[in-house]
Amino acid sequence: MNRALRAALAAGATAAVGCFVWSSWLPNSQYAPVEISFAVVGLSFMVAGIAAWQRWPASRLGLLFTIIGYLWNPAFSGCNASCPANVLLIGNGSRSAWNTLGTIAALVGLVITGIVLTLIVRHWRSARGWSRRAMIPLLWIAPAVGAENILTGSLFHFPALVTYALLPLLLLAGPVLFVISTVRARTAGGALGTAIVDLEPGASPGRLRDALARALGDSTLQLAFQQPGGAGHLDTLGQAVDRSVAPIAGSGGTVLVYDEGLELEPQLVKLTAAAASMALEHTRLQAEVQAQLEQVRASRARLVEAGDAERRRLERDLHDGAQQRLVTLSLALGMARDRAAGADPELEALIDSAGKEAREALTELRELARGIHPAVLTETGLTGAVQALVERSPVAATITAVPDERFPAAIEATAYFVVSEALANVAKHAMADGAQVTIRRRRPGRLVVEVSDDGAGGARPEGSGLRGLADRVASVGGVLRVDSPPGGGTRLEADIPCP
Amino acid sequence: MSVTAGPAEPKARLRVVIAEDTVLLREGLRRVLTDAGLDVAGTAADADQLLKLVQALSPDVVLTDIRMPPTQTTEGLQAALEIRRRWPGTAVIVVSQHVETEHLFELLAGDPRGIGYVLKERVADIAQFTAAIHRVAAGESVIDPQVVSRLVARPRRNSPLETLTERELAVLALMAEGRSNQAIALQLYMSPKTVETHVGNLFGKLGLLPAAQDHRRVLAVLTYLRR
């Protein structure tokens, strides 16, 4: 309905312009400059009115602006001089008719002006925040329209210069101010966008509310949530909401609760709701990704721990099973050898070599078991296990510090793995003379494992060995740093959170 | 073997208690040691049983595995330390699967006299094993040669060890195994005098105090090698 009316008014305005242009191009057109300026004023009011209507559909302000525009159009109000045509088709000769018409127009103008002023003031009072600030220029229209009525009305008479030079300027101020107001509104709308963009990812609904409230200038803005069972909404404090609400799409019944002053700005409320929807969706996705990441992290830690447990079990099985049997076998062979001694030298030699084989097998098995899981780590913690690594390192290695305390198994295993891999890398790639191992508690809650060498440097952190090490460190929530300038030695540092 | 009854006889036979949780090995050891002329006074399958046996039997030597039930970690080691604390005169040989030295140092930290640390496969060399039991019973320290050789062979940087002669290194290794000068002289076919000279020289080179040349020298040497 409003839309149809707006379209009709716009069509009327276009027709008026057409009529005016057409008549002013007629050969004997005698439009005075003042009439042309009046036409421009009228037209700008019409355009501004239609635009205002579009912006504040709930307000009659736009319609009244448009009507004022029509009244100003010479093609409608007729000519005081000798223009060839006017829409009312009143002849130029009919002087009294023009005078009556002028008085009526002035009176109607006064009434409309009064209504416009009332509306502007009412609108301004009910508006909130930026919407209200954006309306300030409109308030200036009020004195302008008042002046117009006083100056041109048939009720008073002023010198022509005042009437015809000052008036159009004064009146043009209306539409110009309206344009300023609209630009300011746009800027305020932009502020809303900026507020949403500036909102850091994963901000809580509370932060979102604050940002939206700031952008809208409505400190009473609230986010409220659908009550279970669908009966109304509760705000974040659990209070029932009895104000204007706008649903936020895709938020599972969350609504924006805003000051009724903003009802004049449905576009803006819609925009805000959309922005809130985006931000909430963003937060929700962020939380979802975070939760998934946490799950992955936990499952990775579980996998590593399960692997460690399995290795411990394997090592124990080897120790309790195969190793013990081999020891028993060696013992039996030793006894057999002693029995055969002297009696049968050939048999003795045979048993001797069998015993040697068994011992070799034992040594190999011991190394295998140690590689699977170092029992000394479980038994003595990092102190003994790191000492063992340093003792068997093919490159001269020394210990600077190792804390003499026990840590959770996963952390000990990770620290051990770092030292073990690092020393193996030093031996394989670094061409180093020596390496140093330092394990320290740094700050409360961090264990720092550092292995450095004086070798060739140039280790690539993305190499598969260091990659695996970084993964292992990450499985307990730590980070691995590699500092390996070419020719400057390599420094490996694992920073592990620990209780 | 002829056994003559007499008051000196029980003194001559060393009384041994064995703690080992694997039945087969425990029984094998009992047999081997009995055959070697030792008196196996009792056997235990875990640390608690071992402590009770030691209290009841006052053996000369205790032979214990490190890993035993219930946790299969260091029960034997803890029992050995407790035995040394409560019955200091009892010699203890700890049988270990580890070439790692952590447990060894825990064990030697007190008084190293009458302490043995041997790798499990050593039991197969019955003569050597029996000799080790006699040595600890006589108050010597016995450290498995394999454990020592690993320590001696470690790569080092700017270490005075690099300045030792081959002979001196051999003497050093035997000292680390807990050998006396007498035994070193026998093993390296040297005169005890030569051994003394070597020991003096290498102590000088390594900067070890001559005071460490008493019963604690094994610990001093091992600590040096482990550094």
Side-chain angles (χ1 to χ4, degrees):
Chain A
M1 164 65 196
N2 272 351
R3 182 170 298 211
L5 194 51
R6 273 204 301 277
L9 282 171
T14 316
V17 173
C19 179
F20 176 70
V21 171
W22 168 68
S23 58
S24 52
W25 281 99
L26 286 177
N28 53 349
S29 167
Q30 292 178 27
Y31 273 135
V34 63
E35 284 162 338
I36 295 172
S37 76
F38 273 32
V40 172
V41 169
L43 271 174
S44 51
F45 262 91
M46 270 188 257
V47 173
I50 291 168
W53 205 359
Q54 181 94 28
R55 211 177 105 196
W56 298 300
S59 166
R60 292 276 162 254
L61 210 54
L63 178 63
L64 293 173
F65 257 59
T66 317
I67 291 171
I68 293 174
Y70 272 86
L71 289 176
W72 270 89
N73 196 316
F76 280 92
S77 55
C79 314
N80 287 345
S82 56
C83 57
N86 61 66
V87 174
L88 298 179
L89 299 174
I90 297 168
N92 281 340
S94 185
R95 203 78 217 152
S96 63
W98 272 118
N99 284 342
T100 318
L101 210 60
T103 311
I104 292 171
L107 284 172
V108 169
L110 261 183
V111 171
I112 290 178
T113 304
I115 297 172
V116 165
L117 290 181
T118 317
L119 279 177
I120 286 178
V121 169
R122 256 179 55 194
H123 192 140
W124 185 74
R125 285 180 52 164
S126 66
R128 285 291 175 274
W130 72 268
S131 177
R132 169 182 253 189
R133 286 194 300 278
M135 279 191 67
I136 290 172
L138 281 182
L139 292 177
W140 290 96
I141 294 174
V145 174
E148 172 253 316
N149 278 281
I150 293 165
L151 288 172
T152 62
S154 311
L155 305 177
F156 307 96
H157 290 282
F158 287 96
L161 182 69
V162 175
T163 311
Y164 298 125
L166 196 61
L167 198 57
L169 287 178
L170 207 57
L171 289 170
L172 261 179
V176 166
L177 288 174
F178 182 80
V179 168
I180 293 173
S181 138
T182 305
V183 168
R184 291 187 61 166
R186 283 272 153 86
T187 315
L192 182 68
T194 312
I196 301 300
V197 170
D198 284 352
L199 207 63
E200 67 258 44
S204 66
R207 306 283 306 262
L208 172 66
R209 188 218 78 89
D210 293 348
L212 293 177
R214 249 194 329 276
L216 280 179
D218 174 8
S219 60
T220 68
L221 189 91
Q222 282 287 345
L223 291 177
F225 309 93
Q226 180 103 53
Q227 278 198 59
H233 295 87
L234 295 177
D235 64 17
T236 43
L237 299 173
Q239 308 283 319
V241 168
D242 54 1
R243 296 192 292 150
S244 314
V245 298
I248 298 172
S251 64
T254 308
V255 293
L256 207 59
V257 187
Y258 54 93
D259 192 280
E260 61 184 320
L262 287 171
E263 271 173 46
L264 294 168
E265 305 279 357
Q267 269 309 111
L268 185 71
V269 172
K270 248 160 81 186
L271 186 69
T272 309
S277 156
M278 257 159 28
L280 282 177
E281 179 70 359
H282 188 189
T283 305
R284 194 183 63 73
L285 286 176
Q286 186 101 17
E288 204 174 291
V289 167
Q290 208 61 43
Q292 279 172 356
L293 198 64
E294 198 41 60
Q295 275 177 7
V296 169
R297 206 174 281 146
S299 91
R300 176 164 65 171
R302 278 199 302 277
L303 278 176
V304 169
E305 264 171 51
D308 283 351
E310 186 60 18
R311 280 161 165 265
R312 274 198 296 277
R313 196 188 60 76
L314 259 175
E315 191 271 342
R316 182 163 295 180
D317 283 356
L318 276 179
H319 173 267
D320 297 347
Q323 281 176 306
Q324 299 291 50
R325 278 173 194 282
L326 272 174
V327 172
T328 314
L329 173 67
S330 304
L331 190 63
L333 285 170
M335 286 161 71
R337 197 197 76 120
D338 285 2
R339 295 270 159 92
D344 186 343
E346 231 171 87
L347 181 63
E348 193 188 337
L350 198 62
I351 298 174
D352 225 9
S353 79
K356 234 178 243 150
E357 284 297 313
R359 277 201 296 279
E360 285 290 312
L362 252 177
T363 307
E364 279 176 24
L365 202 57
R366 183 169 54 220
E367 287 304 302
L368 178 67
R370 195 195 53 78
I372 290 172
H373 174 80
V376 67
L377 180 64
T378 325
E379 291 164 8
T380 72
L382 283 174
T383 348
V386 171
Q387 173 70 36
L389 283 175
V390 163
E391 278 174 23
R392 68 173 60 238
S393 164
V395 170
T398 48
I399 297 174
T400 316
V402 175
D404 188 17
E405 59 179 306
R406 298 302 304 257
F407 299 99
I411 288 171
E412 283 186 347
T414 304
Y416 176 87
F417 189 63
V418 170
V419 177
S420 164
E421 283 294 301
L423 288 179
N425 282 341
V426 172
K428 262 190 277 178
H429 311 297
M431 294 176 287
D433 288 333
Q436 272 205 320
V437 181
T438 312
I439 303 181
R440 283 208 169 93
R441 270 187 177 278
R442 182 188 295 171
R443 305 189 296 276
R446 308 296 290 190
L447 188 69
V448 179
V449 181
E450 189 196 319
V451 180
S452 53
D453 66 55
D454 56 1
R460 290 179 309 115
E462 67 276 10
S464 65
L466 288 179
R467 189 66 254 164
L469 204 53
D471 284 350
R472 173 74 210 220
V473 172
S475 78
V476 289
V479 260
L480 183 76
R481 284 183 280 270
V482 181
D483 182 20
S484 187
T490 300
R491 194 175 149 279
L492 217 71
E493 186 192 89
D495 191 342
I496 302 167
C498 84
Chain B
M1 184 192 281
S2 69
V3 178
T4 38
E9 187 58 23
K11 275 272 170 229
R13 289 184 68 190
L14 285 178
R15 300 181 69 242
V16 181
V17 164
I18 300 169
E20 163 63 57
D21 59 313
T22 313
V23 188
L24 222 54
L25 190 55
R26 190 169 63 231
E27 291 313 309
L29 278 171
R30 181 214 287 275
R31 221 173 120 190
V32 166
L33 297 184
T34 309
D35 284 357
L38 301 172
D39 174 13
V40 179
T43 60
D46 60 51
D48 280 350
Q49 235 180 319
L50 170 62
L51 290 173
K52 281 184 194 131
L53 277 182
V54 174
Q55 177 148 42
L57 303 171
S58 309
D60 301 306
V61 180
V62 168
L63 203 65
T64 179
D65 190 6
I66 287 194
R67 281 166 98 164
M68 279 193 292
T71 64
Q72 295 284 7
T73 55
T74 57
E75 287 78 1
L77 185 74
Q78 301 315 321
L81 290 170
E82 190 171 345
I83 290 167
R84 295 290 290 179
R85 201 167 50 242
R86 288 168 63 183
W87 303 284
T90 310
V92 177
I93 290 187
V94 168
V95 183
S96 172
Q97 297 273 33
H98 298 305
V99 278
E100 283 85 13
T101 53
E102 190 65 17
H103 296 326
L104 168 64
F105 275 78
E106 265 181 80
L107 208 55
L108 292 180
D111 184 352
R113 277 177 297 187
I115 294 273
Y117 183 90
V118 300
L119 294 180
K120 216 159 189 180
E121 58 256 45
R122 207 59 63 198
V123 303
D125 192 337
I126 297 159
Q128 212 184 40
F129 192 57
T130 317
I133 293 175
H134 282 288
R135 277 173 58 203
V136 293
E140 284 184 41
S141 316
V142 175
I143 317 299
D144 196 286
Q146 201 185 329
V147 174
V148 171
S149 65
R150 273 187 67 242
L151 284 181
V152 173
R154 274 179 68 196
R156 290 182 168 81
R157 258 198 315 176
N158 314 321
S159 167
L161 276 175
E162 290 164 359
T163 66
L164 296 192
T165 64
E166 213 169 300
R167 279 270 141 183
E168 285 167 345
L169 264 181
V171 172
L172 183 74
L174 287 172
M175 279 199 292
E177 287 174 27
R179 301 278 178 176
S180 62
N181 284 2
Q182 196 85 30
I184 296 173
L186 270 174
Q187 189 150 345
L188 296 180
Y189 307 105
M190 296 173 181
S191 72
K193 198 101 188 112
T194 319
V195 174
E196 258 173 57
T197 313
H198 280 313
V199 170
N201 286 345
L202 71 88
F203 263 58
K205 284 183 183 176
L206 302 185
L208 290 171
L209 294 175
Q213 289 204 34
D214 60 0
H215 65 270
R216 297 188 61 89
R217 83 171 181 189
V218 59
L219 192 56
V221 171
L222 281 172
T223 308
Y224 188 90
L225 288 174
R226 195 187 189 219
R227 244 188 350 219

